[in-house]
Amino acid sequence: MTVYADAPTWENPSQASRTSINNAEHQETATPKGWNLLLDLAFFAGWNQKADDIYEPSFRPQSPFKRTKYVIGIHPLHNPKRLFEVYAPIVDFLNANIPEADFILEASRDYDEFDRKLYSGHFDFAMPNPYQTVNSLKHGYRVFGKMADDDDFRGIILVRRDSGINTVADLKGKAVSYPAPTALAATMMPQHYLHTHGLDINRDIENRYVGSQESSIINVLLGHVAAGATWPAPWKTFCKENPQLADQLEVKWQTESLQNNGWVMRKGLPAELTDKFAKLLFSLDRHPQGREMLARIPVTRFEPANDDSYGPVQTFIETFIKTVRPLDKAD
C-alpha cells in the first residue's frame, strides 16, 4: 500500500540505506563522518584533484517491493561523502513512501561530470543549481520545485580575520578560490560582485576552482588564497560544526540574491509517480523527521516552482556573459 504525503512513513536511514562504490569490488555501510573530516585540511584543500581513487558512490536502499529504478542527481554542493550524509535520508524517505519505484541517489565528483549526466538525460530527477536548471530546460527537463529561502541564495566572500584585506582593491595580484566555474551563487555571483566593484577578474586576480564548497573555505583557512567564495548554506554548516576554525574567518562581502537551487524532472515520466515525488518532497517541513533532514542542508523547505520561476536567473546569466567572462554553454 502506497503511503502519501499526508501520512508519510519514516524509515530509519541507518537501517535502510547502503552506499555502493562504483569501480570497487565491495560495498560499505554509509557512515560518513561529516565535517569531522575537515581536520584533514590538506585533503579538502586539494579536493579538485581527479585522482583515480576518488570514488563515485550511488545510494540504493534495498526493498523487495522496488520495481522501476529512477536516478536522482544532486549537483556538487559538497564533496560526495558529505552530499550522501545530507541527502541519503531524503531518498530513504521517498523509497519508503513510493514502493513501486526504486530511487537511487547518485553523486558526481565535480561539476563537469554532473553537467554531462544532466544534459545527457541520465538523471530522472535532479537538483541542479539555478544555472544548470536553466540549461536543463534545453535537454528534456522541466522545473517542478526548488529550495525555498531565496534570500540565502547569494554569494559570500571569506577572508582570514588577520589577512589585512579591507577593500576589494586589496585583492589585486592575489588568488581567490571558488568551487567551480559554473557554480552560480559561489562563483559567478561573487565574480560579478568583484567586477562591479572595480576588479577585472580576468586580469587582476588569480581564479582557482578547487572543486567543492568545503575546499573553497579550507583554502582560505590555510592561507592558500587571499579570499574564497562560497554561499550561506555550507558556511552555516561549517560554523556550526567547526566554530573555532570558523572564528578565524569572516564574511567580508556578500552579493544580492537570486532564485535558489531548482528541482527538475525528465519529461515523459509517469504522472502519478512525479505527483507523489513532488508531494512528498514538499511535505518534509510538516513533520519533525523531515525538518531534521532539511536542517542538514540547511533549508526550511522545498516548494513548487516552474520553468518561468528562473527568468531572473536567465537575465543574470546573460549579463554575466556580456560583462564578466564567457561560459561554456550546454547546447
Side-chain angles (χ1 to χ4, degrees):
M1 176 178 177
T2 301
V3 182
Y4 293 92
D6 291 339
T9 296
W10 300 93
E11 279 191 339
N12 183 340
S14 65
Q15 296 176 350
S17 60
R18 286 197 302 173
T19 300
S20 63
I21 308 303
N22 290 355
N23 302 320
E25 295 180 353
H26 66 281
Q27 290 186 324
E28 61 182 20
T29 301
T31 56
K33 300 184 186 301
W35 284 91
N36 291 332
L37 289 171
L38 286 170
L39 296 176
D40 186 2
L41 300 181
F43 171 76
F44 276 89
W47 183 258
N48 57 317
Q49 297 177 0
K50 295 183 175 66
D52 291 338
D53 60 348
I54 295 178
Y55 66 84
E56 178 191 339
S58 62
F59 174 81
R60 185 188 300 270
Q62 304 297 309
S63 169
F65 301 105
K66 302 307 179 193
R67 296 179 183 176
T68 305
K69 293 179 174 60
Y70 298 94
V71 179
I72 301 173
I74 307 294
H75 79 277
L77 287 154
H78 311 284
N79 63 70
K81 286 186 177 180
R82 179 68 182 181
L83 186 142
F84 273 81
E85 177 183 337
V86 172
Y87 287 94
I90 295 175
V91 176
D92 267 334
F93 170 67
L94 293 167
N95 275 303
N97 287 278
I98 310 179
E100 66 270 28
D102 183 3
F103 295 108
I104 302 169
L105 177 60
E106 186 170 296
S108 302
R109 71 180 65 190
D110 55 31
Y111 277 73
D112 287 342
E113 185 175 71
F114 178 86
D115 288 349
R116 287 194 297 271
K117 292 176 181 178
L118 181 67
Y119 303 148
S120 68
H122 174 72
F123 300 125
D124 298 291
F125 298 88
M127 196 186 78
N129 74 25
Y131 171 66
Q132 296 160 329
T133 297
V134 169
N135 282 337
S136 76
L137 304 182
K138 300 177 290 186
H139 297 274
Y141 291 91
R142 68 177 181 86
V143 177
F144 72 94
K146 59 184 285 292
M147 280 185 171
D149 308 331
D150 286 348
D151 190 58
D152 272 352
F153 194 82
R154 62 178 68 238
I156 58 176
I157 302 174
L158 304 170
V159 300
R160 287 190 58 89
R161 292 186 184 276
D162 59 5
S163 67
I165 293 173
N166 296 305
T167 69
V168 169
D170 292 335
L171 293 176
K172 285 189 176 181
K174 297 180 171 62
V176 179
S177 62
Y178 320 87
T182 56
L184 181 58
T187 299
M188 295 162 63
M189 293 168 73
Q191 288 181 339
H192 182 262
Y193 179 92
L194 296 176
H195 170 81
T196 57
H197 286 75
L199 275 188
D200 183 339
I201 66 110
N202 299 297
R203 298 180 180 181
D204 292 340
I205 59 176
E206 177 189 349
N207 299 295
R208 294 185 185 175
Y209 302 107
V210 295
S212 73
Q213 306 288 342
E214 294 93 338
S215 185
S216 186
I217 296 170
I218 294 303
N219 269 273
V220 186
L221 187 67
L222 293 177
H224 293 173
V225 295
T230 184
W231 68 300
W235 174 238
K236 288 178 181 178
T237 301
F238 184 79
C239 291
K240 179 180 178 181
E241 299 184 359
N242 302 272
Q244 291 182 331
L245 296 178
D247 192 53
Q248 298 178 44
L249 307 176
E250 64 175 320
V251 177
K252 199 67 180 178
W253 303 287
Q254 62 179 344
T255 74
E256 297 296 323
S257 60
L258 277 172
Q259 283 67 31
N260 214 330
N261 297 304
W263 273 101
V264 301
M265 62 176 65
R266 190 167 48 78
K267 294 178 181 178
L269 296 177
E272 183 179 2
L273 172 78
T274 59
D275 288 346
K276 290 178 183 178
F277 188 102
K279 288 177 181 178
L280 287 165
L281 201 63
F282 302 151
S283 77
L284 288 171
D285 63 303
R286 299 201 293 269
H287 308 276
Q289 297 95 326
R291 289 192 291 271
E292 183 179 342
M293 294 175 191
L294 293 169
R296 295 189 185 104
I297 294 177
V299 69
T300 58
R301 68 187 184 282
F302 295 120
E303 61 188 15
N306 56 44
D307 295 1
D308 294 336
S309 302
Y310 286 86
V313 173
Q314 182 64 59
T315 299
F316 173 85
I317 292 169
E318 292 170 357
T319 300
F320 182 88
I321 292 171
K322 289 178 182 178
T323 62
V324 182
R325 63 174 172 87
L327 293 170
D328 291 330
K329 295 247 182 171
D331 294 326

mmCIF file of all heavy atoms in Angstrom, residues 10-44:
data_model
loop_
_atom_site.group_PDB
_atom_site.id
_atom_site.type_symbol
_atom_site.label_atom_id
_atom_site.label_comp_id
_atom_site.label_asym_id
_atom_site.label_seq_id
_atom_site.Cartn_x
_atom_site.Cartn_y
_atom_site.Cartn_z
ATOM 1 N N TRP A 10 8.305 6.964 7.938
ATOM 2 C CA TRP A 10 9.657 7.422 8.225
ATOM 3 C C TRP A 10 10.514 6.220 8.577
ATOM 4 O O TRP A 10 10.386 5.633 9.630
ATOM 5 C CB TRP A 10 9.642 8.421 9.390
ATOM 6 C CG TRP A 10 8.813 9.607 9.070
ATOM 7 C CD1 TRP A 10 7.499 9.793 9.355
ATOM 8 C CD2 TRP A 10 9.228 10.755 8.344
ATOM 9 N NE1 TRP A 10 7.070 11.002 8.874
ATOM 10 C CE2 TRP A 10 8.113 11.612 8.247
ATOM 11 C CE3 TRP A 10 10.445 11.159 7.777
ATOM 12 C CZ2 TRP A 10 8.168 12.841 7.611
ATOM 13 C CZ3 TRP A 10 10.505 12.379 7.136
ATOM 14 C CH2 TRP A 10 9.378 13.205 7.059
ATOM 15 N N GLU A 11 11.396 5.827 7.632
ATOM 16 C CA GLU A 11 12.316 4.735 7.889
ATOM 17 C C GLU A 11 13.558 5.266 8.577
ATOM 18 O O GLU A 11 13.946 6.414 8.405
ATOM 19 C CB GLU A 11 12.744 4.065 6.572
ATOM 20 C CG GLU A 11 11.726 3.067 6.051
ATOM 21 C CD GLU A 11 12.311 2.256 4.918
ATOM 22 O OE1 GLU A 11 13.285 2.721 4.308
ATOM 23 O OE2 GLU A 11 11.796 1.177 4.637
ATOM 24 N N ASN A 12 14.183 4.415 9.352
ATOM 25 C CA ASN A 12 15.472 4.747 9.945
ATOM 26 C C ASN A 12 16.540 4.606 8.874
ATOM 27 O O ASN A 12 16.834 3.509 8.425
ATOM 28 C CB ASN A 12 15.771 3.785 11.100
ATOM 29 C CG ASN A 12 17.072 4.144 11.806
ATOM 30 O OD1 ASN A 12 17.916 4.835 11.260
ATOM 31 N ND2 ASN A 12 17.200 3.654 13.018
ATOM 32 N N PRO A 13 17.135 5.732 8.403
ATOM 33 C CA PRO A 13 18.098 5.642 7.305
ATOM 34 C C PRO A 13 19.268 4.728 7.618
ATOM 35 O O PRO A 13 19.806 4.083 6.730
ATOM 36 C CB PRO A 13 18.555 7.096 7.125
ATOM 37 C CG PRO A 13 17.443 7.920 7.704
ATOM 38 C CD PRO A 13 16.894 7.083 8.827
ATOM 39 N N SER A 14 19.674 4.660 8.862
ATOM 40 C CA SER A 14 20.834 3.823 9.177
ATOM 41 C C SER A 14 20.538 2.355 8.977
ATOM 42 O O SER A 14 21.436 1.549 8.788
ATOM 43 C CB SER A 14 21.258 4.074 10.633
ATOM 44 O OG SER A 14 20.237 3.653 11.518
ATOM 45 N N GLN A 15 19.256 1.977 9.000
ATOM 46 C CA GLN A 15 18.887 0.581 8.784
ATOM 47 C C GLN A 15 18.537 0.312 7.331
ATOM 48 O O GLN A 15 18.699 -0.791 6.847
ATOM 49 C CB GLN A 15 17.682 0.231 9.666
ATOM 50 C CG GLN A 15 17.988 0.318 11.164
ATOM 51 C CD GLN A 15 16.763 0.066 11.998
ATOM 52 O OE1 GLN A 15 15.640 0.006 11.474
ATOM 53 N NE2 GLN A 15 16.945 -0.066 13.297
ATOM 54 N N ALA A 16 18.052 1.335 6.634
ATOM 55 C CA ALA A 16 17.508 1.106 5.304
ATOM 56 C C ALA A 16 18.503 1.323 4.188
ATOM 57 O O ALA A 16 18.299 0.852 3.089
ATOM 58 C CB ALA A 16 16.299 2.022 5.075
ATOM 59 N N SER A 17 19.576 2.063 4.422
ATOM 60 C CA SER A 17 20.374 2.531 3.303
ATOM 61 C C SER A 17 21.730 1.867 3.221
ATOM 62 O O SER A 17 22.333 1.509 4.210
ATOM 63 C CB SER A 17 20.560 4.043 3.394
ATOM 64 O OG SER A 17 21.222 4.369 4.587
ATOM 65 N N ARG A 18 22.219 1.760 1.960
ATOM 66 C CA ARG A 18 23.584 1.314 1.710
ATOM 67 C C ARG A 18 24.181 2.210 0.639
ATOM 68 O O ARG A 18 23.489 2.751 -0.200
ATOM 69 C CB ARG A 18 23.617 -0.121 1.214
ATOM 70 C CG ARG A 18 23.330 -1.153 2.288
ATOM 71 C CD ARG A 18 23.785 -2.510 1.847
ATOM 72 N NE ARG A 18 23.135 -2.917 0.612
ATOM 73 C CZ ARG A 18 23.454 -4.016 -0.057
ATOM 74 N NH1 ARG A 18 24.406 -4.787 0.352
ATOM 75 N NH2 ARG A 18 22.822 -4.337 -1.160
ATOM 76 N N THR A 19 25.476 2.344 0.639
ATOM 77 C CA THR A 19 26.187 3.071 -0.395
ATOM 78 C C THR A 19 27.017 2.086 -1.175
ATOM 79 O O THR A 19 27.821 1.375 -0.598
ATOM 80 C CB THR A 19 27.102 4.140 0.215
ATOM 81 O OG1 THR A 19 26.291 5.049 0.951
ATOM 82 C CG2 THR A 19 27.845 4.902 -0.869
ATOM 83 N N SER A 20 26.820 2.033 -2.497
ATOM 84 C CA SER A 20 27.665 1.176 -3.320
ATOM 85 C C SER A 20 28.700 2.033 -4.010
ATOM 86 O O SER A 20 28.393 3.087 -4.529
ATOM 87 C CB SER A 20 26.826 0.434 -4.369
ATOM 88 O OG SER A 20 26.219 1.320 -5.265
ATOM 89 N N ILE A 21 29.948 1.609 -3.992
ATOM 90 C CA ILE A 21 31.045 2.376 -4.544
ATOM 91 C C ILE A 21 31.331 1.879 -5.951
ATOM 92 O O ILE A 21 31.666 0.729 -6.167
ATOM 93 C CB ILE A 21 32.311 2.223 -3.685
ATOM 94 C CG1 ILE A 21 31.981 2.533 -2.224
ATOM 95 C CG2 ILE A 21 33.412 3.105 -4.192
ATOM 96 C CD1 ILE A 21 31.402 3.892 -1.989
ATOM 97 N N ASN A 22 31.157 2.782 -6.943
ATOM 98 C CA ASN A 22 31.450 2.419 -8.316
ATOM 99 C C ASN A 22 32.933 2.149 -8.471
ATOM 100 O O ASN A 22 33.773 2.725 -7.803
ATOM 101 C CB ASN A 22 31.050 3.552 -9.262
ATOM 102 C CG ASN A 22 29.546 3.694 -9.352
ATOM 103 O OD1 ASN A 22 28.803 2.903 -8.784
ATOM 104 N ND2 ASN A 22 29.092 4.711 -10.065
ATOM 105 N N ASN A 23 33.279 1.263 -9.409
ATOM 106 C CA ASN A 23 34.652 0.898 -9.715
ATOM 107 C C ASN A 23 35.351 0.281 -8.501
ATOM 108 O O ASN A 23 36.559 0.374 -8.360
ATOM 109 C CB ASN A 23 35.446 2.128 -10.181
ATOM 110 C CG ASN A 23 34.812 2.759 -11.392
ATOM 111 O OD1 ASN A 23 34.353 2.063 -12.288
ATOM 112 N ND2 ASN A 23 34.779 4.089 -11.424
ATOM 113 N N ALA A 24 34.601 -0.361 -7.642
ATOM 114 C CA ALA A 24 35.184 -1.046 -6.493
ATOM 115 C C ALA A 24 34.580 -2.422 -6.400
ATOM 116 O O ALA A 24 33.549 -2.708 -6.983
ATOM 117 C CB ALA A 24 34.922 -0.261 -5.207
ATOM 118 N N GLU A 25 35.216 -3.291 -5.622
ATOM 119 C CA GLU A 25 34.760 -4.668 -5.544
ATOM 120 C C GLU A 25 33.990 -4.952 -4.271
ATOM 121 O O GLU A 25 33.700 -6.094 -3.957
ATOM 122 C CB GLU A 25 35.971 -5.602 -5.613
ATOM 123 C CG GLU A 25 36.704 -5.515 -6.958
ATOM 124 C CD GLU A 25 37.891 -6.431 -6.993
ATOM 125 O OE1 GLU A 25 38.217 -7.025 -5.955
ATOM 126 O OE2 GLU A 25 38.492 -6.575 -8.068
ATOM 127 N N HIS A 26 33.650 -3.894 -3.501
ATOM 128 C CA HIS A 26 32.959 -4.123 -2.255
ATOM 129 C C HIS A 26 31.935 -3.032 -2.024
ATOM 130 O O HIS A 26 31.936 -2.015 -2.673
ATOM 131 C CB HIS A 26 33.964 -4.125 -1.097
ATOM 132 C CG HIS A 26 34.602 -2.787 -0.879
ATOM 133 N ND1 HIS A 26 35.624 -2.322 -1.665
ATOM 134 C CD2 HIS A 26 34.335 -1.828 0.033
ATOM 135 C CE1 HIS A 26 35.983 -1.135 -1.250
ATOM 136 N NE2 HIS A 26 35.208 -0.783 -0.222
ATOM 137 N N GLN A 27 31.042 -3.301 -1.047
ATOM 138 C CA GLN A 27 30.091 -2.306 -0.616
ATOM 139 C C GLN A 27 30.320 -2.049 0.856
ATOM 140 O O GLN A 27 30.758 -2.917 1.591
ATOM 141 C CB GLN A 27 28.644 -2.796 -0.806
ATOM 142 C CG GLN A 27 28.247 -2.883 -2.270
ATOM 143 C CD GLN A 27 26.784 -3.231 -2.406
ATOM 144 O OE1 GLN A 27 26.250 -3.987 -1.618
ATOM 145 N NE2 GLN A 27 26.142 -2.663 -3.393
ATOM 146 N N GLU A 28 30.005 -0.819 1.271
ATOM 147 C CA GLU A 28 30.194 -0.490 2.662
ATOM 148 C C GLU A 28 28.998 0.289 3.156
ATOM 149 O O GLU A 28 28.323 0.949 2.398
ATOM 150 C CB GLU A 28 31.474 0.320 2.865
ATOM 151 C CG GLU A 28 31.461 1.644 2.129
ATOM 152 C CD GLU A 28 32.769 2.385 2.314
ATOM 153 O OE1 GLU A 28 33.763 1.734 2.668
ATOM 154 O OE2 GLU A 28 32.773 3.599 2.096
ATOM 155 N N THR A 29 28.703 0.173 4.440
ATOM 156 C CA THR A 29 27.610 0.918 5.020
ATOM 157 C C THR A 29 27.931 2.391 4.984
ATOM 158 O O THR A 29 29.044 2.806 5.245
ATOM 159 C CB THR A 29 27.389 0.485 6.481
ATOM 160 O OG1 THR A 29 27.116 -0.908 6.485
ATOM 161 C CG2 THR A 29 26.204 1.222 7.088
ATOM 162 N N ALA A 30 26.929 3.204 4.667
ATOM 163 C CA ALA A 30 27.140 4.647 4.547
ATOM 164 C C ALA A 30 27.240 5.268 5.930
ATOM 165 O O ALA A 30 26.250 5.509 6.579
ATOM 166 C CB ALA A 30 26.000 5.290 3.779
ATOM 167 N N THR A 31 28.470 5.520 6.376
ATOM 168 C CA THR A 31 28.668 6.151 7.675
ATOM 169 C C THR A 31 29.644 7.307 7.539
ATOM 170 O O THR A 31 30.721 7.317 8.130
ATOM 171 C CB THR A 31 29.228 5.142 8.695
ATOM 172 O OG1 THR A 31 30.441 4.575 8.167
ATOM 173 C CG2 THR A 31 28.235 4.032 8.966
ATOM 174 N N PRO A 32 29.291 8.329 6.706
ATOM 175 C CA PRO A 32 30.209 9.459 6.525
ATOM 176 C C PRO A 32 30.408 10.208 7.824
ATOM 177 O O PRO A 32 29.504 10.344 8.624
ATOM 178 C CB PRO A 32 29.487 10.327 5.485
ATOM 179 C CG PRO A 32 28.052 9.949 5.606
ATOM 180 C CD PRO A 32 28.047 8.498 5.984
ATOM 181 N N LYS A 33 31.590 10.727 8.018
ATOM 182 C CA LYS A 33 31.932 11.380 9.260
ATOM 183 C C LYS A 33 31.673 12.871 9.220
ATOM 184 O O LYS A 33 31.959 13.600 10.155
ATOM 185 C CB LYS A 33 33.399 11.122 9.600
ATOM 186 C CG LYS A 33 33.717 9.640 9.762
ATOM 187 C CD LYS A 33 35.149 9.446 10.179
ATOM 188 C CE LYS A 33 35.522 7.973 10.207
ATOM 189 N NZ LYS A 33 34.675 7.216 11.111
ATOM 190 N N GLY A 34 31.114 13.380 8.099
ATOM 191 C CA GLY A 34 30.725 14.773 8.036
ATOM 192 C C GLY A 34 31.912 15.704 8.168
ATOM 193 O O GLY A 34 33.018 15.423 7.735
ATOM 194 N N TRP A 35 31.650 16.827 8.782
ATOM 195 C CA TRP A 35 32.661 17.880 8.850
ATOM 196 C C TRP A 35 33.833 17.507 9.753
ATOM 197 O O TRP A 35 34.835 18.227 9.781
ATOM 198 C CB TRP A 35 32.014 19.172 9.333
ATOM 199 C CG TRP A 35 31.215 19.824 8.276
ATOM 200 C CD1 TRP A 35 29.900 19.653 8.007
ATOM 201 C CD2 TRP A 35 31.685 20.760 7.306
ATOM 202 N NE1 TRP A 35 29.527 20.419 6.959
ATOM 203 C CE2 TRP A 35 30.583 21.115 6.504
ATOM 204 C CE3 TRP A 35 32.929 21.347 7.042
ATOM 205 C CZ2 TRP A 35 30.687 22.023 5.455
ATOM 206 C CZ3 TRP A 35 33.022 22.256 6.004
ATOM 207 C CH2 TRP A 35 31.914 22.573 5.222
ATOM 208 N N ASN A 36 33.735 16.402 10.523
ATOM 209 C CA ASN A 36 34.898 15.992 11.293
ATOM 210 C C ASN A 36 36.084 15.693 10.390
ATOM 211 O O ASN A 36 37.240 15.808 10.794
ATOM 212 C CB ASN A 36 34.572 14.752 12.133
ATOM 213 C CG ASN A 36 33.614 15.080 13.240
ATOM 214 O OD1 ASN A 36 33.574 16.213 13.713
ATOM 215 N ND2 ASN A 36 32.846 14.094 13.675
ATOM 216 N N LEU A 37 35.777 15.319 9.137
ATOM 217 C CA LEU A 37 36.848 15.054 8.192
ATOM 218 C C LEU A 37 37.633 16.307 7.866
ATOM 219 O O LEU A 37 38.722 16.243 7.313
ATOM 220 C CB LEU A 37 36.268 14.463 6.897
ATOM 221 C CG LEU A 37 35.732 13.038 7.010
ATOM 222 C CD1 LEU A 37 35.000 12.662 5.743
ATOM 223 C CD2 LEU A 37 36.850 12.063 7.274
ATOM 224 N N LEU A 38 37.096 17.475 8.187
ATOM 225 C CA LEU A 38 37.801 18.706 7.890
ATOM 226 C C LEU A 38 39.078 18.849 8.703
ATOM 227 O O LEU A 38 39.886 19.733 8.438
ATOM 228 C CB LEU A 38 36.886 19.906 8.152
ATOM 229 C CG LEU A 38 35.804 20.078 7.094
ATOM 230 C CD1 LEU A 38 34.812 21.121 7.534
ATOM 231 C CD2 LEU A 38 36.425 20.470 5.773
ATOM 232 N N LEU A 39 39.261 18.003 9.704
ATOM 233 C CA LEU A 39 40.517 18.020 10.425
ATOM 234 C C LEU A 39 41.671 17.666 9.500
ATOM 235 O O LEU A 39 42.809 18.068 9.713
ATOM 236 C CB LEU A 39 40.460 17.049 11.610
ATOM 237 C CG LEU A 39 39.428 17.432 12.685
ATOM 238 C CD1 LEU A 39 39.395 16.353 13.764
ATOM 239 C CD2 LEU A 39 39.759 18.775 13.300
ATOM 240 N N ASP A 40 41.356 16.908 8.453
ATOM 241 C CA ASP A 40 42.359 16.618 7.436
ATOM 242 C C ASP A 40 42.303 17.734 6.408
ATOM 243 O O ASP A 40 41.820 17.581 5.305
ATOM 244 C CB ASP A 40 42.079 15.260 6.777
ATOM 245 C CG ASP A 40 43.182 14.858 5.819
ATOM 246 O OD1 ASP A 40 44.167 15.609 5.689
ATOM 247 O OD2 ASP A 40 43.055 13.785 5.223
ATOM 248 N N LEU A 41 42.798 18.908 6.774
ATOM 249 C CA LEU A 41 42.600 20.109 5.957
ATOM 250 C C LEU A 41 43.256 19.991 4.589
ATOM 251 O O LEU A 41 42.707 20.453 3.598
ATOM 252 C CB LEU A 41 43.157 21.325 6.693
ATOM 253 C CG LEU A 41 42.515 21.619 8.054
ATOM 254 C CD1 LEU A 41 43.144 22.851 8.667
ATOM 255 C CD2 LEU A 41 41.019 21.831 7.886
ATOM 256 N N ALA A 42 44.408 19.373 4.541
ATOM 257 C CA ALA A 42 45.101 19.295 3.261
ATOM 258 C C ALA A 42 44.295 18.499 2.252
ATOM 259 O O ALA A 42 44.295 18.786 1.064
ATOM 260 C CB ALA A 42 46.479 18.667 3.447
ATOM 261 N N PHE A 43 43.565 17.470 2.738
ATOM 262 C CA PHE A 43 42.743 16.648 1.843
ATOM 263 C C PHE A 43 41.660 17.493 1.181
ATOM 264 O O PHE A 43 41.474 17.469 -0.028
ATOM 265 C CB PHE A 43 42.119 15.505 2.625
ATOM 266 C CG PHE A 43 41.091 14.725 1.846
ATOM 267 C CD1 PHE A 43 41.482 13.819 0.885
ATOM 268 C CD2 PHE A 43 39.740 14.918 2.065
ATOM 269 C CE1 PHE A 43 40.540 13.093 0.166
ATOM 270 C CE2 PHE A 43 38.797 14.214 1.350
ATOM 271 C CZ PHE A 43 39.200 13.299 0.402
ATOM 272 N N PHE A 44 40.948 18.278 1.983
ATOM 273 C CA PHE A 44 39.851 19.060 1.428
ATOM 274 C C PHE A 44 40.365 20.213 0.581
ATOM 275 O O PHE A 44 39.732 20.608 -0.378
ATOM 276 C CB PHE A 44 38.940 19.581 2.543
ATOM 277 C CG PHE A 44 37.931 18.565 2.952
ATOM 278 C CD1 PHE A 44 38.217 17.649 3.943
ATOM 279 C CD2 PHE A 44 36.710 18.497 2.320
ATOM 280 C CE1 PHE A 44 37.283 16.691 4.316
ATOM 281 C CE2 PHE A 44 35.778 17.544 2.672
ATOM 282 C CZ PHE A 44 36.068 16.637 3.677
#
